[in-house]
Amino acid sequence: MIDTAIRFFQEGGFFMFPIAVVLIIGLIVAIERYVYLTAQKMTNRRDFNRLHQMIARRDMKGALNYTQEAGSAMATMIGFGLQRLARRQGREEIEYAMEEGLLDVMPRLEKRTQYLATLANIATLLGLLGTIIGLIAAFTAVAAADPAQKASLLSQSISVAMNTTAFGLMSAIPLLLVHSLLQTKTNEIVDSFEMAGIKVLNLLSDGSGNRPAAQAQSASGSAQTATPAGSPA
């Protein structure tokens, strides 16, 4: 199996080497992006659960400090909203702030993923270019060959020239599949950000909405206590 692969690579000619370089670069990018996105998904879930508990306890100062120390994408996005909340701004401004935070962290999530599609196209084009150049060289060699050997020499040369196209496609297809996988993983993380933002906004609105009602009820109770018996309502 290994000997067959080595012979296949050697018979492909010069263009097998740049295609191999493109494949190696694509695999490095794919592994780095997969590890990064997986780590981000776990970290974001942990930070959201922690911040959700703090906000539910109305520990806004602790939550804001945590967002500044954590440094994750989720903490950064929620931190933008908590900063507006600390300035006593409304729900709409907090929502805009978290959208701004999401736009701030999205480039980090999408970074280098698009390179995989470009590398796949480059691998395919290099394979086609190697095949065309190999065919040109084959027909040139056949033109000066003995007529009895032309058919055999031509078929052998075409077989060797096709190796570059085959290797280019063998490199491009996995890169496109990995690109699609990483793009889906990135979209899932972005969707989780949007869901987390809605949950935080609803939690903040519930907390801020209950506070005036409690204050009004407390004030009403105090007024009734202060009203002397027999006084007009």
Side-chain angles (χ1 to χ4, degrees):
M1 184 66 178
I2 297 178
D3 294 339
T4 303
I6 293 175
R7 186 169 62 255
F8 170 81
F9 189 84
Q10 290 175 344
E11 291 177 352
F14 168 77
F15 280 90
M16 301 290 275
F17 293 97
I19 295 173
V21 172
V22 170
L23 177 61
I24 293 172
I25 294 174
L27 291 177
I28 293 173
V29 172
I31 293 172
E32 185 271 333
R33 285 287 88 193
Y34 183 82
V35 172
Y36 176 81
L37 292 175
T38 301
Q40 280 292 309
K41 188 174 182 179
M42 297 173 60
T43 303
N44 290 335
R45 185 183 296 113
R46 180 201 65 198
D47 288 345
F48 173 74
N49 292 334
R50 184 72 180 274
L51 289 168
H52 191 274
Q53 293 174 1
M54 289 182 176
I55 296 172
R57 296 195 308 264
R58 313 307 299 167
D59 183 13
M60 299 304 175
K61 184 176 180 181
L64 185 57
N65 292 334
Y66 184 83
T67 59
Q68 295 173 351
E69 295 171 359
S72 67
M74 181 67 73
T76 300
M77 185 195 73
I78 297 177
F80 273 63
L82 293 179
Q83 288 175 4
R84 295 291 180 92
L85 179 66
R87 299 170 190 166
R88 301 188 179 279
Q89 296 183 354
R91 176 189 173 101
E92 188 174 353
E93 286 75 14
I94 295 174
E95 184 177 0
Y96 288 154
M98 285 199 288
E99 289 178 357
E100 180 184 353
L102 179 59
L103 294 175
D104 184 64
V105 301
M106 277 185 64
R108 285 186 278 168
L109 299 174
E110 298 175 345
K111 189 177 182 181
R112 287 188 292 274
T113 301
Q114 300 300 326
Y115 291 171
L116 295 175
T118 302
L119 291 172
N121 290 331
I122 291 174
T124 303
L125 293 175
L126 285 173
L128 292 174
L129 180 61
T131 296
I132 291 172
I133 292 178
L135 290 175
I136 292 174
F139 282 112
T140 302
V142 166
D146 185 82
Q149 299 178 347
K150 282 188 177 183
S152 175
L153 183 61
L154 182 60
S155 62
Q156 182 180 2
S157 300
I158 291 176
S159 176
V160 171
M162 289 296 178
N163 285 358
T164 54
T165 298
F167 188 51
L169 293 175
M170 290 166 59
S171 302
I173 292 172
L175 292 179
L176 288 175
L177 290 175
V178 173
H179 172 263
S180 178
L181 173 65
L182 293 177
Q183 196 67 46
T184 302
K185 200 174 185 66
T186 302
N187 292 337
E188 290 177 355
I189 295 176
V190 173
D191 291 340
S192 70
F193 279 132
E194 296 176 354
M195 182 62 67
I198 293 173
K199 289 183 177 180
V200 169
L201 280 172
N202 291 336
L203 192 60
L204 293 175
S205 298
D206 292 342
S208 61
N210 292 335
R211 199 180 306 155
Q215 290 175 354
Q217 185 176 3
S218 175
S220 176
S222 299
Q224 291 177 1
T225 302
T227 303
S231 298

